[in-house]
Amino acid sequence: MLIMKCPSCQKYIKSVLLAEISQIRCEHCEATVPVNNVLVSSNGFTFDRNDLLKRFFRYRKLLDEVIDEHSHLHDNLVSRIESKKSIEQFLKILQGMMTGARDHFRCEFDSPISCRIAYAGTEVEGFFQNLSMEGACIQLVSGRMRPKVRNSLRLKFFLPHCVSEFILSGEICWVEKVKELAGNGPVIGIRFDPVDKQTQENLWKFICDQAGKVPA
């Protein structure tokens, strides 16, 4: 979670959107204040977001090592329960830090939201794993041609409570290399191309609505 101290009432404002907005209405005193000095709060620990960004790659490397250690302890039958709980807690802290370092809030969906993706002369169905203002992570249904990094694409989808269909273009940034599940294609990461003002407003409205449902 991202937080900042309100300059008017000195209480902490909480919002997952603090990295994307220039001002916010304080939930305590209702004053509209500029966004400054954003902090990352993760499982009882607090970090200055600017300091975190300066050391991002160090923490990213540390997270990879902790993930490996977590897997090792989980599979080790003789590892103590206390050790497993400690590494689990440490992993959650680091994951929270990395989430706070993102420039865009990512909506996670409880129910599948389908989409159609056209790339490299083929079109397949997919399901959003997450969605932000800059891109998305999508699980593809098996297609005739495996997508490749830097493939251009066209994406069509509807979002809950949005009347208009979204039609966006973009590029594939990464393709998951793990073994694909039976009946499904790979998971891909997409970066959107710039969109028109109305589409941007509609997408932002949906994301703000979803952000309001995220537990503090």
Side-chain angles (χ1 to χ4, degrees), residues 108-138:
E108 307 285 345
F109 301 108
D110 295 330
S111 302
I113 294 179
S114 65
C115 59
R116 299 293 301 179
I117 304 175
Y119 63 90
T122 188
E123 182 172 320
V124 299
E125 185 179 10
F127 297 91
F128 284 103
Q129 292 195 345
N130 62 54
L131 172 69
S132 74
M133 287 297 294
E134 68 171 4
C137 177
I138 296 175

Side-chain angles (χ1 to χ4, degrees), residues 118-182:
Y119 63 90
T122 188
E123 182 172 320
V124 299
E125 185 179 10
F127 297 91
F128 284 103
Q129 292 195 345
N130 62 54
L131 172 69
S132 74
M133 287 297 294
E134 68 171 4
C137 177
I138 296 175
Q139 169 75 63
L140 298 183
V141 175
S142 295
R144 297 190 305 274
M145 184 177 297
R146 182 180 175 86
K148 296 180 180 179
V149 174
R150 290 191 291 276
N151 273 158
S152 296
L153 58 85
R154 191 171 180 82
L155 182 65
K156 298 181 181 181
F157 58 95
F158 284 95
L159 292 174
H161 311 299
C162 294
V163 176
S164 302
E165 181 181 29
F166 288 86
I167 303 176
L168 306 177
S169 60
E171 182 181 74
I172 296 174
C173 301
W174 53 265
V175 178
E176 192 175 59
K177 295 181 180 180
V178 298
K179 184 177 180 181
E180 297 168 16
L181 299 176

